[in-house]
Amino acid sequence: MFIPVSGTIRAVPLSDILEDLRRRKKTGTLTVCRDNVSKSIYLEDGQVIFAASTDPGDWLGESLVKTGKLSQEKLDHALRLYNKHAGLKKMGAILVESGLVPPKELFTGLKIQVRDIIFSLFLWPDGDYRFEGRLPSGIIRLQINLQGLIPEIIERIRQET
């Protein structure tokens, strides 16, 4: 099956797009946009290594609060530090350097954040997608087993409906 580099996830399901990219061992960024929100999945040799979102609910700090690894008060403190640095430092670095989150907890939080972003994309009924064969500089490379993630996504979708 030929999967175009751009289109809509209503016409081509996200699972088919990701499987095609995995099978062809593609490296690059798959971005899906809907209602002024864009979510990106970063792949290296067909494997998911990271994800990002413009939705504030998907951001690292919010993910750490949702999982109980960070209190809302500590997140507010970290956000003040982040704004003080005018966004020149990544939130993860601020959280670790200021002692708000241990490095191991940050790593776990990043993996949960990536899983949640990917899961949320499977709930979108539609959106425009585009694959570009390049990765942004400075991304953290996590190893996310997409094949292991699919059963988890299916179970979470069942629970949501």
Side-chain angles (χ1 to χ4, degrees):
M1 173 183 198
F2 172 75
I3 306 284
V5 295
S6 64
T8 68
I9 59 173
R10 182 178 300 278
V12 183
L14 182 63
S15 57
D16 291 353
I17 298 165
L18 288 170
E19 175 56 23
D20 182 64
L21 295 170
R22 185 197 65 77
R23 188 178 35 74
R24 294 190 303 139
K25 297 185 181 221
K26 293 300 237 175
T27 295
T29 305
L30 174 66
T31 302
V32 184
C33 300
R34 182 186 85 161
D35 299 333
N36 297 323
V37 172
S38 67
K39 299 186 182 209
S40 297
I41 300 173
Y42 304 112
L43 300 112
E44 191 167 63
D45 297 324
Q47 300 300 310
V48 174
I49 58 169
F50 201 70
S53 172
T54 61
D55 181 349
D58 290 334
W59 292 352
L60 176 61
E62 293 300 322
S63 183
L64 291 168
V65 169
K66 279 187 248 178
T67 59
K69 299 190 182 310
L70 184 69
S71 70
Q72 186 62 51
E73 290 172 36
K74 288 182 178 180
L75 174 58
D76 293 342
H77 175 68
L79 287 169
R80 285 191 296 278
L81 292 172
Y82 181 79
N83 291 330
K84 183 179 175 183
H85 291 285
L88 296 175
K89 277 192 170 185
K90 290 188 175 194
M91 178 57 81
I94 289 171
L95 290 168
V96 171
E97 289 172 9
S98 60
L100 297 171
V101 175
K104 184 178 178 184
E105 293 292 322
L106 178 69
F107 184 75
T108 301
L110 285 168
K111 280 191 151 187
I112 291 168
Q113 176 195 24
V114 167
R115 288 170 174 261
D116 286 349
I117 290 170
I118 294 169
F119 168 71
S120 70
L121 279 170
F122 277 89
L123 296 178
W124 282 11
D126 199 5
D128 297 320
Y129 79 86
R130 176 164 194 73
F131 179 76
E132 295 178 328
R134 58 187 161 82
L135 292 169
S137 61
I139 63 167
I140 297 167
R141 285 170 162 74
L142 305 172
Q143 293 301 317
I144 306 294
N145 179 351
L146 192 58
Q147 283 69 34
L149 187 57
I150 296 297
E152 180 184 329
I153 289 171
I154 291 168
E155 182 58 31
R156 286 177 73 179
I157 289 171
R158 281 188 191 139
Q159 291 174 0
E160 296 271 330
T161 56

